[in-house]
């Protein structure tokens, strides 16, 4: 083979193992050119989405270049939504479903989501999160997990995969080998999971074993250090974890996808190009990139790094070819899955809202104080969320309450405002609520000291206040009257508003 032909073939192999994002609601020319040159996958984010119909047009435009193109999306429902980022998800997330603990319901919600994604032309969903949220202070998983019990997480991981794939969309279990017991956000730095192998086998791995048994054909690696298996390299870059544990011990023979390769957990030490080369060398078959770095130059940089690593002897060409082969195999399988999926439209306001209502829990004091008879003042305490949650995605209880009780007023308060003294709870929360019901909305109060203090102060001043917790329940408040939604999706906000105003909803 001539050197120019070999170089062209290497470039094609390198392109085929990338899953890049891009900017815009139409496909840019460079993406279409790269698909023609061998790019086998793209990933969509909220910036690419206006409506299901618009995305269907976009995916048709992309597939005109390659009918088997893998179109991925990071759509978990609940707090992490892309397809409904502008409105908030009409389905609750994993923690709400795990709280109900009805696998048939979870399967139905995932099937409903799958029908919407399939109608949009999506073929791979980076979901479900199979992480067991065993550390309540975890800054990145939280309500994205089905819960803290490996058995609960396992059965709902199975149900989610079955439901989604019954609609023709491939599932992807993440974040292997389990991101639930960490205290650092891997978007910014490298978290560690210091447990021993026996604890990992009992706590973190069961949902992934269940996923493999349920027929999942894609697994996403996590950017976390697991010293019991590899004291030096994070899972995404570790052959011991991706090959030794995932492939040999768990018997997984499908597609290994990296978590976003531009995340600080791997780039702070290796750079985006170095991390990409090491990931493929370790056993990753498809590199997810473009949540943040969505430019043509990034794809060009990674292609150059991969081809140079092969020609320089750092990356065996056989490993790159193996990865490309797995991508092709997955693309053929997912195209067949898409063609065989159950037809029909997503249920929209149906099963998602049923599930969200079933996940609501009230204390006895809340039941006694409800329903509200007058329009309340609502104080929403807003944390800084992790990067997986779109800043543009609406959440809360004030808007759906206002629809049910006209005259409802509201304020949204952030911790920085309280710390800087630019906002005072007395003037923005207590004074407008004089003579009216006060509803306090929190989101992981137990994880945020400022929020816990605010809830405690407000309920001390107004013992009759009702607290709606939309994150993980915890010891963040001593309020007697509490409502727990187990997630902050739009569906969960509506379910909370129903609980506050409609006796029959409880």
């Amino acid at each position: 083979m001539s050197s120019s032909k070999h170089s062209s073939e290497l470039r094609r192999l390198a392109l085929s193992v990338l899953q890049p994002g891009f900017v815009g609601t139409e496909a840019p020319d460079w993406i279409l050119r790269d698909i023609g040159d061998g790019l086998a996958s793209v990933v969509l984010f909220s910036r690419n989405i206006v409506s299901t119909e618009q995305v269907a047009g976009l995916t048709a435009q992309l597939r005109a270049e390659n009918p088997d193109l893998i179109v991925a999306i990071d759509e978990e429902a609940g707090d992490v939504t892309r397809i409904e980022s502008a409105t908030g998800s009409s389905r609750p997330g994993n923690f709400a479903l795990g709280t109900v603990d009805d696998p048939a319901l979870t399967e139905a919600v995932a099937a409903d989501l799958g029908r919407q994604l399939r109608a949009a032309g999506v073929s791979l969903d980076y979901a479900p999160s199979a992480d067991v949220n065993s550390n309540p202070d975890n800054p990145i998983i939280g309500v994205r997990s089905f819960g803290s019990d490996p058995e609960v997480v396992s059965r709902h991981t199975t149900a989610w995969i079955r439901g989604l794939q019954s609609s023709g969309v491939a599932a992807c279990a993440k974040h292997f080998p389990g991101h639930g017991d960490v205290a650092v956000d891997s978007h910014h730095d490298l978290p560690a999971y210091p447990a021993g192998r026996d604890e990992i086998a009992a706590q973190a791995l069961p949902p992934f074993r269940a996923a493999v048994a349920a027929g999942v054909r894609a697994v996403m690696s996590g950017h976390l250090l697991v010293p019991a298996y590899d004291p030096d390299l994070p899972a995404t870059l570790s052959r011991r974890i991706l090959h030794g544990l995932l492939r040999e011990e768990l018997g997984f023979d499908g597609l290994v996808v990296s978590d976003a390769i531009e995340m600080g957990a791997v780039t702070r030490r290796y750079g985006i190009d170095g991390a990409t080369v090491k990931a493929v060398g370790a056993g990753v078959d498809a590199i997810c990139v473009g949540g943040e770095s969505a430019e043509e130059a990034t794809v060009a940089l990674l292609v150059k790094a991969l081809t140079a690593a092969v020609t320089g002897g750092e990356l065996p060409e056989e490993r790159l070819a193996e990865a490309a082969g797995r991508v092709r195999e997955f693309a053929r399988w997912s195209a067949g899955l898409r063609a065989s999926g159950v037809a029909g439209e997503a249920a929209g306001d149906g099963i998602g809202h049923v599930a969200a209502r079933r996940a609501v829990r009230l204390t006895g004091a809340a039941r006694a104080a409800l329903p509200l008879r007058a329009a309340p003042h609502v104080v929403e305490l807003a944390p800084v969320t992790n990067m997986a949650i779109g800043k543009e995605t609406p959440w809360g209880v004030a808007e759906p309450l206002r629809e049910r009780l006209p005259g409802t007023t509201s304020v949204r308060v952030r911790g920085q405002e309280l710390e800087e003294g630019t906002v005072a709870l007395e003037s923005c929360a207590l004074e407008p609520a004089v003579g009216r019901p006060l509803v306090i909305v929190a989101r992981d109060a137990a994880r945020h000291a400022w929020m816990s203090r605010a809830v405690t102060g407000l309920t001390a001043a107004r013992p009759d206040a009702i607290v709606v917790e939309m994150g993980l329940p915890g010891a963040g408040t001593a309020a007697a009257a509490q409502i727990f939604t187990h997630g902050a999706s739009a569906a969960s906000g509506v379910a909370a508003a129903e609980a506050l105003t409609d006796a029959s909803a409880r």
Side-chain angles (χ1 to χ4, degrees), residues 187 223 259-267 272 288-294:
H187 287 94
H223 300 330
D259 203 349
I261 204 67
E262 65 263 48
M263 288 165 62
V266 291
T267 59
I272 191 171
C288 173
V289 63
E292 301 300 312
S293 303

Side-chain angles (χ1 to χ4, degrees), residues 276-373:
T276 295
V277 170
K278 286 185 176 297
V280 174
V284 168
D285 304 307
I287 299 290
C288 173
V289 63
E292 301 300 312
S293 303
E295 307 81 18
E296 179 181 7
T298 299
V299 173
L301 172 67
L302 300 189
V303 168
K304 181 180 178 181
L306 287 167
T307 56
V310 171
T311 56
E314 180 185 355
L315 176 65
E317 185 171 347
E318 295 77 14
R319 168 78 276 268
L320 183 61
E322 178 188 46
R326 282 213 181 90
V327 172
R328 286 194 300 273
E329 181 183 358
F330 181 87
R332 288 192 295 268
W333 172 78
S334 65
L337 184 70
R338 194 169 73 250
S340 65
V342 176
E345 293 301 312
D349 285 350
I351 193 66
H353 283 92
V354 169
R357 284 193 290 270
R358 287 183 63 185
V360 171
R361 301 288 184 269
L362 286 76
T363 62
R367 291 182 183 278
L370 297 174
L372 296 177
R373 301 298 185 188

Side-chain angles (χ1 to χ4, degrees), residues 9 88 118 157 221-222 225 241 250 254 271 334 385 396 427 464 502:
E9 178 59 23
R118 180 171 177 260
T157 294
S221 64
L225 195 68
I241 292 174
L250 268 65
S334 65
T385 55
S427 58
D464 63 331
D502 183 358

Side-chain angles (χ1 to χ4, degrees), residues 99 140 502:
T99 297
I140 187 64
D502 183 358

Side-chain angles (χ1 to χ4, degrees), residues 37-196:
D37 289 345
L39 185 70
S41 316
V42 298
V43 56
L44 304 181
F45 293 93
S46 56
R47 62 181 175 237
N48 307 118
I49 294 167
V50 175
S51 65
T52 300
E53 294 74 22
Q54 167 266 325
V55 178
L58 170 60
T59 55
Q61 180 190 16
L62 292 163
R63 287 209 175 93
E65 304 294 326
N66 174 6
D68 286 348
L69 183 76
I70 300 165
V71 179
I73 195 169
D74 185 22
E75 173 60 56
E76 300 176 15
D79 289 25
V80 179
T81 180
R82 312 300 178 213
I83 200 73
E84 295 183 292
S85 64
T87 58
S89 179
S90 57
R91 305 168 185 91
N94 285 3
F95 188 52
L97 295 171
T99 297
V100 177
D101 199 13
D102 178 353
L105 179 67
T106 295
E107 186 169 341
V109 170
D112 183 56
L113 173 62
R115 286 190 291 272
Q116 183 179 11
L117 295 179
R118 180 171 177 260
V122 171
S123 54
L124 169 62
D125 186 10
Y126 295 152
S129 169
D131 307 293
V132 179
N133 197 58
S134 49
N135 182 352
D137 291 327
N138 191 322
I140 187 64
I141 301 301
V143 296
R144 299 168 65 192
S145 167
F146 289 111
S148 58
D149 182 337
E151 291 186 8
V152 170
V153 177
S154 295
R155 61 176 166 262
H156 289 279
T157 294
T158 296
W160 178 277
I161 290 166
R162 287 178 176 165
L164 189 74
Q165 296 192 166
S166 74
S167 296
V169 177
C172 178
K174 65 184 184 185
H175 307 80
F176 188 82
H179 215 304
D181 192 11
V182 302
V184 172
D185 184 344
S186 51
H187 287 94
H188 306 297
D189 211 337
L190 180 62
Y193 180 21

Side-chain angles (χ1 to χ4, degrees), residues 256-483:
V256 176
V257 184
S258 77
D259 203 349
I261 204 67
E262 65 263 48
M263 288 165 62
V266 291
T267 59
R268 282 169 68 96
R269 182 170 179 183
Y270 302 104
I272 191 171
D273 48 350
T276 295
V277 170
K278 286 185 176 297
V280 174
V284 168
D285 304 307
I287 299 290
C288 173
V289 63
E292 301 300 312
S293 303
E295 307 81 18
E296 179 181 7
T298 299
V299 173
L301 172 67
L302 300 189
V303 168
K304 181 180 178 181
L306 287 167
T307 56
V310 171
T311 56
E314 180 185 355
L315 176 65
E317 185 171 347
E318 295 77 14
R319 168 78 276 268
L320 183 61
E322 178 188 46
R326 282 213 181 90
V327 172
R328 286 194 300 273
E329 181 183 358
F330 181 87
R332 288 192 295 268
W333 172 78
S334 65
L337 184 70
R338 194 169 73 250
S340 65
V342 176
E345 293 301 312
D349 285 350
I351 193 66
H353 283 92
V354 169
R357 284 193 290 270
R358 287 183 63 185
V360 171
R361 301 288 184 269
L362 286 76
T363 62
R367 291 182 183 278
L370 297 174
L372 296 177
R373 301 298 185 188
H377 183 58
V378 182
V379 181
E380 294 178 334
L381 302 173
V384 176
T385 55
N386 64 64
M387 290 177 66
I389 299 171
K391 289 182 170 54
E392 74 284 353
T393 304
W395 68 278
V397 177
E399 285 304 316
L401 254 184
R402 195 171 286 116
E403 294 175 6
R404 289 157 178 77
L405 288 175
T408 295
T409 57
S410 64
V411 63
R412 184 161 285 190
V413 179
R414 294 165 178 81
Q416 186 177 357
E417 295 169 328
L418 293 179
E419 291 166 5
E420 293 174 348
T422 55
V423 166
L425 291 176
E426 290 78 6
S427 58
C428 76
L430 294 174
E431 290 175 11
V434 171
R436 307 167 57 190
L438 175 62
V439 175
I440 305 162
V441 182
R443 194 171 179 180
D444 287 327
R447 281 195 55 244
H448 301 284
W450 72 267
M451 193 182 298
S452 181
R453 287 194 300 269
V455 172
T456 299
L458 289 171
T459 54
R462 282 288 302 265
D464 63 331
I466 297 169
V467 176
V468 180
E469 173 57 79
M470 303 192 78
L472 291 175
T477 172
Q482 296 185 71
I483 297 174

